[in-house]
Amino acid sequence: MRLKRNNQKYKFQLQLKYELMNQNLYNPWKRWRTLFFSRFVLFYIIAIPVLLSSQCSYPTKSKTSKEPQIQIHFISDEYEETKKIPSALLESKDLLLILAELSKKEDPSMRFISTNRTEEIMEVNGKRNSWSEGWVVYVNEERVDGVQMKRGVRVSPSDKIEIRYEAVERVFGRPTP
């Protein structure tokens, strides 16, 4: 294999280079400038850092994952609110204790009627039970009565809990006119 310096083509290029340098026409930085500002290289120098920085700034699912929460929806004609209580993923809590905690914080303010056998919600944010309407608790679309509430209803973050103000039928204790 012939060495570069003995190659005729190389000698000619080298001689041309020296001639251009002597005439101040050859600029060694011109070659680097054209390479740097070519569209292809310019795209990669600008576009890749922009794309990388935009991907880093958006939160990923792993960063936004929050601890599980028990959600309770309060629904009436003039009032609708969702309360969130932090809880462990596999941990279940007694619904009555959760409601009592919310009542203690007055968020929302609640009053209960408690007997030996039953536990019912009497009032939420000033909206009281009447003879024809009242607060009814639903867990996973199933109605929970006062006796079940007294015995204890365990709820977890996967359960759907709604407390609605709706028409109810009272069997006993209705005053006679």
Side-chain angles (χ1 to χ4, degrees):
M1 183 168 188
R2 292 171 53 185
L3 293 174
K4 260 188 165 182
R5 63 178 173 231
N6 295 333
N7 189 342
Q8 288 298 326
K9 184 179 175 185
Y10 178 75
K11 281 184 181 180
F12 175 74
Q13 288 175 345
L14 194 61
Q15 186 181 7
L16 181 65
K17 190 181 202 182
Y18 285 133
E19 286 175 11
L20 291 172
M21 283 175 76
N22 288 338
Q23 296 174 4
N24 287 333
L25 297 175
Y26 178 76
N27 187 352
W29 295 104
K30 187 175 182 183
R31 187 170 148 196
W32 287 105
R33 219 178 312 144
T34 50
L35 178 65
F36 182 77
F37 288 113
S38 69
R39 290 180 187 164
F40 183 73
V41 173
L42 192 62
F43 172 75
Y44 282 107
I45 289 175
I46 294 173
I48 290 180
V50 168
L51 290 174
L52 289 176
S53 65
S54 66
Q55 284 180 348
C56 294
S57 66
Y58 291 123
T60 60
K61 283 188 178 182
S62 62
K63 290 181 185 176
T64 58
S65 63
K66 298 177 183 174
E67 62 181 47
Q69 297 176 335
I70 296 174
Q71 295 186 0
I72 303 174
H73 304 281
F74 292 91
I75 302 168
S76 72
D77 297 338
E78 58 219 31
Y79 174 74
E80 189 168 325
E81 188 176 2
T82 300
K83 291 295 171 187
K84 297 177 182 178
I85 296 98
S87 174
L89 183 61
L90 300 174
E91 180 185 358
S92 62
K93 293 183 176 181
D94 187 25
L95 179 60
L96 192 58
L97 291 176
I98 293 172
L99 293 175
E101 260 181 52
L102 288 175
S103 176
K104 189 176 179 181
K105 295 177 188 174
E106 292 190 5
D107 187 27
S109 64
M110 285 186 277
R111 290 187 182 179
F112 298 95
I113 299 174
S114 181
T115 65
N116 290 340
R117 292 185 50 231
T118 65
E119 191 79 37
E120 292 182 40
I121 298 174
M122 171 72 173
E123 178 184 334
V124 176
N125 273 353
K127 184 131 178 144
R128 292 177 171 246
N129 287 355
S130 67
W131 292 113
S132 58
E133 294 180 316
W135 292 99
V136 182
V137 178
Y138 289 90
V139 176
N140 296 328
E141 301 297 324
E142 291 182 24
R143 189 176 181 153
V144 177
D145 64 349
V147 176
Q148 289 175 312
M149 287 280 285
K150 189 71 170 188
R151 288 183 186 157
V153 177
R154 305 295 288 182
V155 292
S156 64
S158 61
D159 292 326
K160 182 181 177 186
I161 305 164
E162 287 184 345
I163 300 176
R164 300 183 205 151
Y165 191 76
E166 59 185 29
V168 292
E169 184 179 325
R170 305 249 183 241
V171 178
F172 60 92
R174 183 172 225 149
T176 54

